[in-house]
Amino acid sequence: AQSVAQPEDQVNVAEGNPLTVKCTYSVSGNPYLFWYVQYPNRGLQFLLKYITGDNLVKGSYGFEAEFNKSQTSFHLKKPSALVSDSALYFCAANSGTYKYIFGTGTRLKVLA
Amino acid sequence: DTEVTQTPKHLVMGMTNKKSLKCEQHMGHRAMYWYKQKAKKPPELMFVYSYEKLSINESVPSRFSPECPNSSLLNLHLHALQPEDSALYLCASSQESAGGLTEAFFGQGTRLTVV
């Protein structure tokens, strides 16, 4: 079965420190990969995507993600975390069907 | 305009009521979705419309009835719901490309409470 894994339920980081939220995938072919952020009682906001090309993808709000094909990973990163980055983050994949495969989500808590 | 608009934002309904959720997008996307999301869980796919035709029904109970009146609108009709149907209902849309779907754009959701 195809899947996306987010191994950490929660990540804590101090404000101003770099952050990483991990994602690995087990999806056939060359899937498109996405990161979304969700604030309480809101919909999912698109952050960035990888389709092809440069392994380092830049997105909204200073976030970037590193694609590693050999490790089937797509980790989300930010050089300097803000308290306002505290939210729920979802990694997702799509391999040509109408179904996005979502990870279980990682709660990011940035401490002042 | 990269916005998906959902109404209402909040809905409380009794188990015998009939209500509808509405979703609108003007991005020209031809794929539209309904998802159900429980607290702190990923969205669960319910229905997919492609070019205004129902493409996927993820074995959703018949008390949920989707409708796509045109390429910009998506409705979800609700009838005789159960308390366990209480959740955040998300509408989304996306564009198809040669290799797959582009990113989905999500609405802010309807917080549904069934009493």
Side-chain angles (χ1 to χ4, degrees), chain A residues 61-101:
Chain A
Y61 313 118
F63 283 94
E64 55 192 28
E66 188 168 10
F67 171 70
N68 186 317
K69 186 167 185 176
S70 62
Q71 296 185 5
T72 61
S73 66
F74 188 53
H75 300 331
L76 182 70
K77 298 173 186 282
K78 188 174 183 184
S80 178
L82 300 172
V83 171
S84 57
D85 293 330
S86 299
L88 185 57
Y89 290 80
F90 289 104
C91 181
N94 179 270
S95 61
T97 72
Y98 285 113
K99 296 186 181 184
Y100 292 90
I101 304 164

Side-chain angles (χ1 to χ4, degrees), chain A residues 48-70:
Chain A
L48 49 77
K49 66 184 174 188
Y50 176 83
I51 293 178
T52 188
D54 195 348
N55 289 345
L56 187 64
V57 178
K58 293 192 184 298
S60 306
Y61 313 118
F63 283 94
E64 55 192 28
E66 188 168 10
F67 171 70
N68 186 317
K69 186 167 185 176
S70 62

Side-chain angles (χ1 to χ4, degrees), chain A residues 30 32 34 36 38 41-46 49 51 88 90 94-100 102-105 107, chain B residues 33 35 37 40-43 45 48 50 56 58 88 90 94 96-97 99-104 106-108 111:
Chain A
N30 296 307
Y32 292 2
F34 310 92
Y36 290 88
Q38 187 175 31
N41 292 311
R42 303 292 292 270
L44 278 67
Q45 291 179 40
F46 168 71
K49 66 184 174 188
I51 293 178
L88 185 57
F90 289 104
N94 179 270
S95 61
T97 72
Y98 285 113
K99 296 186 181 184
Y100 292 90
F102 285 93
T104 50
R107 178 163 302 282
Chain B
Y33 312 78
Y35 284 89
Q37 187 182 28
K40 301 179 185 178
K41 299 291 186 186
L45 183 64
V48 181
S50 174
I56 294 177
E58 290 284 89
L88 183 67
L90 295 166
S94 68
E96 298 179 52
S97 68
L101 295 172
T102 63
E103 63 273 26
F106 286 81
Q108 292 199 19
R111 171 68 61 191

